[in-house]
Amino acid sequence: MRTYLLNGLWQLNGNGFSCEGKVPGSVLSFLLDNKLIDDPFYRDNEDKAFAVLNNEYDFSREFELAEIKNQMFLCCDGLDTLATIYLNDKLVAKTKNMHRAYRFDVSKLLKVGMNKIVIHFDPADDYIKAKDKEYKLLGGSIEPLKGFGHIRKAHCMLGWDWGPKLPDIGIW
């Protein structure tokens, strides 16, 4: 079995931002490393960072394959959270759970030479608001984002009595 790692340098695009960063990484880590936003943990910057995170973002990169043998799988050990994966402009899968790994057979989508992967992320807040309109969940803390129980994402990212509302997005 041969393994090709796709961590390393990726491109982030969305909400008027375009920059490079390292994966594992997130919207916040890319933007902070490129000095495009202020520290979200300083003063009232949490609100500004929350607004930045409430948008769609694409993580992309190209990679080269010298050969394709047998079956080839794309293994995603951490996608946070609402992701749509494309390989060479073809849909691979959609995911909605940060707490699991994924494995997709991409044998028919890969080619010898340059390949491009794009992982599109939708914001958590829009998703949970829409789900909460469909079906109200009762109980829990009043601190997190309303409807937080509708998403399989680290709930501490959605606010708590001890933490900020920073529902980050990315590949971990």
Side-chain angles (χ1 to χ4, degrees):
M1 180 171 71
R2 182 176 224 167
T3 301
Y4 298 92
L5 296 177
L6 295 180
N7 56 344
L9 203 58
W10 284 62
Q11 180 72 31
L12 173 72
N13 290 294
N15 189 29
F17 295 107
S18 182
C19 62
E20 289 184 333
K22 290 186 179 176
V23 164
S26 69
V27 169
L28 286 180
S29 71
F30 276 51
L31 297 180
L32 284 166
D33 289 349
N34 285 282
K35 299 182 182 2
L36 296 172
I37 61 169
D38 294 325
D39 182 350
F41 297 100
Y42 183 72
R43 294 193 178 172
D44 66 346
N45 290 346
E46 172 188 347
D47 296 333
K48 295 173 193 169
F50 180 83
V52 166
L53 293 170
N54 200 27
N55 290 279
E56 298 176 14
Y57 288 93
D58 290 337
F59 287 77
S60 62
R61 71 165 288 164
E62 292 184 341
F63 60 96
E64 190 169 4
L65 291 177
E67 63 181 352
I68 298 174
K69 289 187 175 182
N70 302 322
Q71 282 187 300
M72 307 254 325
F73 294 93
L74 174 64
C75 300
C76 302
D77 292 331
L79 298 174
D80 184 8
T81 294
L82 304 168
T84 305
I85 306 162
Y86 299 93
L87 189 55
N88 296 324
D89 297 320
K90 304 282 191 218
L91 177 67
V92 174
K94 293 184 176 192
T95 70
K96 293 183 179 179
N97 189 340
M98 175 186 182
H99 303 297
R100 62 161 288 188
Y102 296 93
R103 183 176 178 222
F104 307 107
D105 185 344
V106 293
S107 306
K108 295 178 182 175
L109 302 177
L110 291 167
K111 59 187 178 186
V112 172
M114 291 305 289
N115 292 270
K116 184 173 183 178
I117 184 169
V118 176
I119 304 179
H120 174 84
F121 288 93
D122 289 311
D125 191 40
D126 289 347
Y127 176 84
I128 63 177
K129 281 180 181 172
K131 288 293 183 185
D132 200 54
K133 282 183 182 177
E134 289 176 27
Y135 179 75
K136 298 267 186 234
L137 293 176
L138 303 175
S141 172
I142 62 170
E143 298 296 328
L145 296 175
K146 187 173 176 55
F148 73 95
H150 288 288
I151 194 166
R152 296 288 298 141
K153 179 176 181 65
H155 287 168
C156 63
M157 291 179 162
L158 304 174
W160 222 260
D161 58 349
W162 50 264
K165 291 177 181 153
L166 295 172
D168 207 357
I169 299 164
I171 303 168
W172 60 277

